[in-house]
Amino acid sequence: MNKRKISIIGSTGSIGTQALEVIEKLGDKFEIIALAGGSNTELLEKQAQKFKPEYIYAAKPISVNGVKTLGSLEEICSNKENDIILVACSGKIGLKPTLTAIRNGIDIALANKETLVMAGDIVMSEAKKYGVKILPVDSEHSAIHQCIKDISMVDKLIITASGGPFLHKTIDDIKNATVEEALHHPRWNMGRKITVDSATLMNKGLEIIEAHHLFGFDYDKIDVVIHPQSIVHSAVEYKDGSVVAQLGLPSMHIPIQYAITYPERLEGIKSKSFSFSEIARLDFEKPDFEKFPCVKLAYDAGRTGGTATVCLNAANEEAVFAFLDGKIKLYDIYTVVDKLMSKHKVITSPSIDEIFEVDKEIREQTRQLISAC
Ligand code: NDP
Ligand code: MG
């Protein structure tokens, strides 16, 4: 592989730090143009000293000797020196920088699923217009990407879900779950927001919408199956009945590396060799939409389209923050999102400005609803 120039938005987060581990392991395959983070400037400074990017950006004031500080994420994303940008920040801040990079012809390795949930139609059509690749980092979508050879012959996508920490708990356990219990994911160590989404299974809901946009499949052709061991990362069923799945020990290093080195596969960070006999069993079960109604909300929002998914995302994010702040219970995340969704007047083909307006309005309405609880 020719040396690639890369920038990382969200280098101080769970995906960002693992991406730097991958890049370190790959040695001279990458040159880092810019690293960007939010408020953890101490870590960003350390990363800048070690990886020596040309530029850094942080949401808080920062300065590192020998590295230029930029004033916005847009500045990073409009620098055509970049071959690829890894968008690994969480929440809605990923959307504008992603669009800027696309319009500058820069390929995207996309971890930030909220970008596609909020504006998948616009992002994918701009990517097509500018001839830019959107390479999935999310493990399920990376798995599907790895399984697809001839997309026209794929009948159905099958997304696996670990089921999170409450998989076999009762609905009352879920209703009374503490923040600590919700943050204790059995398989993955991730940022706080996505970990709560994994506990309510809203994460799977967001991933269904993400898959719809990335691969262009109708919602009827995207299935979810619970697979607690997180070994099968997702699968596709071809029209001849053959099912191709991607397996591996749970590690985000693999999908991160596959996205940033695509279409090549290079040697990576491998802690141990894969053994079917050690794993011994792989279980699969139907998701329980009564216990985890957020999945159904996401299917409904996806099928409705337009700003329905903007509403879903904004209400969910605010409700998750309120849960983490101890203001509402875990199950209230669903109740709150459902209320906002049912009264939202959908705009069918929104512009980016309309998307941000709806996002802002829904966040305000969600906070009002929660404070009136
Ligand atoms: P984290 O919360 O661990 O990291 C978020 C990153 O975004 C941090 O680097 C944070 O910086 C940065 N950030 C926050 N605000 C700003 C800002 N204003 N400007 C620039 N950067 C900012 O999240 P994760 O790494 O877990 O997740 C990132 C994205 O990837 C999410 O969209 C998530 O859904 C997705 N994803 C994550 C997976 C995982 O395994 N973690 C798996 C699949 C998808 P700081 O810490 O310095 O404030
Ligand atoms: Mg995932």
Side-chain angles (χ1 to χ4, degrees), residues 9-18 36-44 47 57-60 73 87-91 93 110-115 137-141 188-195 197 203 206-207 210 252 256:
I9 311 290
S11 65
T12 50
S14 160
I15 293 287
T17 48
Q18 294 180 85
S39 53
N40 190 351
T41 47
E42 204 180 307
L43 179 56
L44 186 59
Q47 292 178 339
Y57 163 85
K60 277 186 9 190
L73 295 175
V87 182
C89 50
S90 61
I93 42 174
L110 190 63
N112 179 246
K113 61 192 80 181
E114 294 87 346
T115 287
V137 170
D138 212 346
S139 58
E140 297 76 3
H141 306 76
W188 302 97
N189 187 7
M190 309 174 285
R192 284 158 66 86
K193 194 264 173 179
I194 182 175
T195 306
D197 284 345
N203 182 50
L206 301 178
E207 290 183 354
E210 188 185 6
M252 284 310 294
I256 293 169

Side-chain angles (χ1 to χ4, degrees), residues 45-56:
E45 274 171 38
K46 279 196 194 134
Q47 292 178 339
Q49 278 151 2
K50 181 168 176 184
F51 291 95
K52 305 198 175 1
E54 263 183 72
Y55 307 101
I56 46 169

Side-chain angles (χ1 to χ4, degrees), residues 342-359:
S342 56
K343 64 176 194 174
H344 176 57
K345 293 209 167 53
V346 176
I347 306 172
T348 315
S349 293
S351 65
I352 282 292
D353 288 344
E354 283 171 324
I355 287 173
F356 279 108
E357 267 165 44
V358 169
D359 178 81

